[in-house]
Amino acid sequence: MQEGQVDIKTPEYVSLQFQPAGLGSRAAALMMDQIILSILNILIVVILFFATTGNNSPFGFYLFELNSTLWGVAIVALFVLNWGYFFALEYFWGGKTLGKRLLGIRVMQENGHSVTLLSCFIRNLLRIIDMLPASYFLGMIMIFLHSKHKRVGDIVAGTIVVHERRVKGKRKEKAIEKEMRNRGLRKEDLSVEAWALKQLGTKEWSLVKTYANRFSQLPRSERNQLSKKLADILFPKLGLNMEGKTYNELEDTLLLLYLEMRDEWEYEL
């Protein structure tokens, strides 16, 4: 294993190597996220202020009566926004917030799978501890000292933040990519909910990737059989119905699934 990398053993006995995201990249990502949240917080407070100040309101009248209940609701809403921002984006957007995406880092489970609802909930709930005594001081100390750059939330939730080491530069178009281009396939054509895609892990990605790599090399009869077998395995997990679909339609769906999963699972290892 190279220095600065962690070796992750998946439940499918696949060995993956990742570079943990250090304090610098994680702090920069957090700063970007906090800037976005600060703008949203200010907008909410300003709108609420003008909506409760009568003649000073741009509307010229009281939209709401200024009372403690209203401001109490506003405070709760701001808390939900500031906590829910990290929770919702990390769970539904492949372990990435806007800041993490810009910095090329993501959250994942230690077993190599995407974050689950529970692990995402725990790691973000414990931000309250990592923020102590102020400005994420405890969290920064933990990230700096921990061998895998983990804060308290990561340790308890069993998660790790890693760099997405994509292959850079121009590369030769693969045969399968040419096939999909000729078929006019785009990721937007895949009608699968995000929560359903999270049911797929390393084992399913290995099957889909092998299928895509062998696709153009297989005789038509063998390709039909393989498409049917793979659809039998994957479609029920995705809530897709196979009935009445032709072999070409099965192929299109499987190739679109390859496109979708490749963005999350294909790393330069």
Side-chain angles (χ1 to χ4, degrees), residues 30 85 89 117 135 169 236:
L30 179 62
Y85 168 88
L89 286 183
L117 183 67
S135 303

Side-chain angles (χ1 to χ4, degrees), residues 149-162:
H149 304 303
K150 290 188 171 195
R151 60 178 176 84
V152 174
D154 290 314
I155 295 173
V156 177
T159 56
I160 185 172
V161 181
V162 298

Side-chain angles (χ1 to χ4, degrees), residues 50-96:
F50 280 112
T52 57
T53 52
N55 293 331
N56 293 328
S57 170
F59 303 101
F61 57 89
Y62 288 93
L63 291 181
F64 303 100
E65 182 182 355
L66 182 61
N67 57 58
S68 58
T69 302
L70 179 60
W71 281 103
V73 171
I75 291 172
V76 172
L78 288 173
F79 172 80
V80 172
L81 169 66
N82 285 270
W83 181 83
Y85 168 88
F86 294 97
F87 170 75
L89 286 183
E90 286 181 358
Y91 181 67
F92 291 106
W93 208 16
K96 291 169 283 190

Side-chain angles (χ1 to χ4, degrees), residues 90-227:
E90 286 181 358
Y91 181 67
F92 291 106
W93 208 16
K96 291 169 283 190
T97 60
L98 291 172
K100 287 184 177 69
R101 187 177 183 88
L102 290 173
L103 268 294
I105 60 178
R106 66 188 288 258
V107 184
M108 64 189 302
Q109 294 187 88
E110 280 194 316
N111 61 8
H113 287 193
S114 299
V115 288
T116 62
L117 183 67
L118 179 61
S119 62
C120 192
F121 176 84
I122 292 174
R123 81 179 303 272
N124 283 293
L125 179 64
L126 292 182
R127 285 182 183 276
I128 299 173
I129 296 178
D130 284 303
M131 292 172 65
L132 298 175
S135 303
Y136 280 94
F137 179 78
L138 178 59
M140 288 190 293
I141 293 297
M142 288 296 299
I143 292 172
F144 181 75
L145 296 178
H146 197 278
S147 60
K148 296 181 181 179
H149 304 303
K150 290 188 171 195
R151 60 178 176 84
V152 174
D154 290 314
I155 295 173
V156 177
T159 56
I160 185 172
V161 181
V162 298
H163 285 280
E164 290 191 303
R165 295 165 294 138
R166 305 291 186 185
V167 178
K168 297 182 179 181
K170 188 176 181 180
R171 56 178 175 80
K172 185 178 179 180
E173 184 180 44
K174 294 181 180 179
I176 190 60
E177 293 172 336
K178 183 178 180 181
E179 175 69 26
M180 287 187 284
R181 179 167 54 81
N182 292 336
R183 293 185 178 215
L185 299 178
R186 302 174 302 167
K187 286 196 303 180
E188 295 78 11
D189 299 328
L190 182 65
S191 55
V192 176
E193 298 293 337
W195 65 265
L197 286 171
K198 294 185 73 65
Q199 308 302 313
L200 307 183
T202 310
K203 182 178 179 180
E204 287 78 15
W205 163 239
S206 179
L207 290 173
V208 172
K209 184 178 180 181
T210 301
Y211 173 81
N213 290 338
R214 296 183 57 195
F215 185 85
S216 59
Q217 303 168 4
L218 293 173
R220 183 68 192 186
S221 59
E222 292 184 24
R223 196 167 76 195
N224 288 345
Q225 292 178 5
L226 185 59
S227 299

